Amino acid sequence: KLKSIKIDVTLAAVLSVVLGVLLVIWPATVITVLARVIAIILMVSGIVSLIPRLMDEVKSYTSIIVSLLITLIGLWMFLSPQAVASIIPIAIGVLLVVHGVQDLALEGKKTKAHNWWSIPLMAILNIVLGVLCICNAFGLVKLGMILIGIMLIYDGLSDMFIVHKVNKASKEFVDSTILHEENLDDYM
């Protein structure tokens, strides 16, 4: 049973390292491939859902429209995978800018806080970070993929190290047990 676990952990570790290396070396390609796989799944499910709706004698136009929308969203994702991947950083960027502007408006109330200068400074930093998210959305997604890749490489290497240590410890235990039993046989 321990041997089976070690094999499973080692295989998962190797896959983690390989996937991690791919994410570090080609983050944009991995993002594009993932977005396109999701897009194909959406298009196929939209078409599979649409065909029977068109064949029904009594047409449900709502179902037809939903099926068409799913298919079209899949097509858009397939044709523009980077735009799809950039949506999340852009949304976060907008949120940061809005919060920064709100913070500046609060500062406009001229609070009598001890460190009054920290309020506009934090607000401006929020706005700058928001603009960075909006202007470099895909770059941030790529950076995120690289970081995830590094995490996967670490995960795989640490798992391999642990399996090696467990292997070594179990062999030492077996060897010491055998030696101990052989020594007992000499005295009997």
Side-chain angles (χ1 to χ4, degrees):
K1 180 160 180 151
L2 181 61
K3 185 177 182 178
S4 173
I5 292 171
K6 287 189 255 182
I7 291 171
D8 290 346
V9 170
T10 302
L11 287 175
V14 169
L15 288 174
S16 285
V17 170
V18 169
L19 182 58
V21 168
L22 290 175
L23 287 171
V24 169
I25 295 174
W26 297 298
T29 303
V30 172
I31 293 165
T32 301
V33 168
L34 286 174
R36 286 198 169 137
V37 167
I38 293 168
I40 289 170
I41 291 169
L42 283 175
M43 287 189 296
V44 168
S45 71
I47 291 169
V48 166
S49 174
L50 180 64
I51 292 172
R53 303 296 178 268
L54 293 174
M55 301 296 183
D56 286 344
E57 286 183 32
V58 178
K59 307 258 188 275
S60 168
Y61 293 105
T62 306
S63 296
I64 291 172
I65 291 171
V66 168
S67 298
L68 277 172
L69 280 175
I70 291 171
T71 306
L72 291 174
I73 289 170
L75 181 62
W76 173 67
M77 285 178 68
F78 189 84
L79 297 175
S80 306
Q82 292 179 350
V84 172
S86 299
I87 288 172
I88 293 172
I90 290 171
I92 292 170
V94 169
L95 184 71
L96 290 173
V97 168
V98 167
H99 284 175
V101 170
Q102 287 174 339
D103 293 345
L104 278 177
L106 285 175
E107 195 280 327
K109 305 264 190 243
K110 295 295 178 196
T111 59
K112 305 273 191 228
H114 174 62
N115 295 328
W116 64 269
W117 52 269
S118 64
I119 295 172
L121 186 65
M122 288 188 288
I124 291 169
L125 182 59
N126 258 357
I127 293 170
V128 168
L129 292 173
V131 169
L132 179 67
C133 283
I134 294 167
C135 294
N136 192 21
F138 192 70
L140 289 174
V141 172
K142 283 178 19 183
L143 177 63
M145 286 292 138
I146 291 170
L147 291 174
I148 291 169
I150 291 169
M151 292 175 203
L152 286 170
I153 291 169
Y154 168 78
D155 176 56
L157 292 176
S158 65
D159 284 349
M160 286 181 210
F161 178 77
I162 290 167
V163 167
H164 170 72
K165 287 294 187 184
V166 168
N167 253 350
K168 189 174 178 183
S170 64
K171 284 180 185 174
E172 288 173 1
F173 177 75
V174 168
D175 290 345
S176 68
T177 303
I178 291 171
L179 283 175
H180 181 69
E181 288 176 2
E182 286 175 355
N183 290 343
L184 287 178
D185 288 340
D186 291 341
Y187 294 109
M188 296 192 157

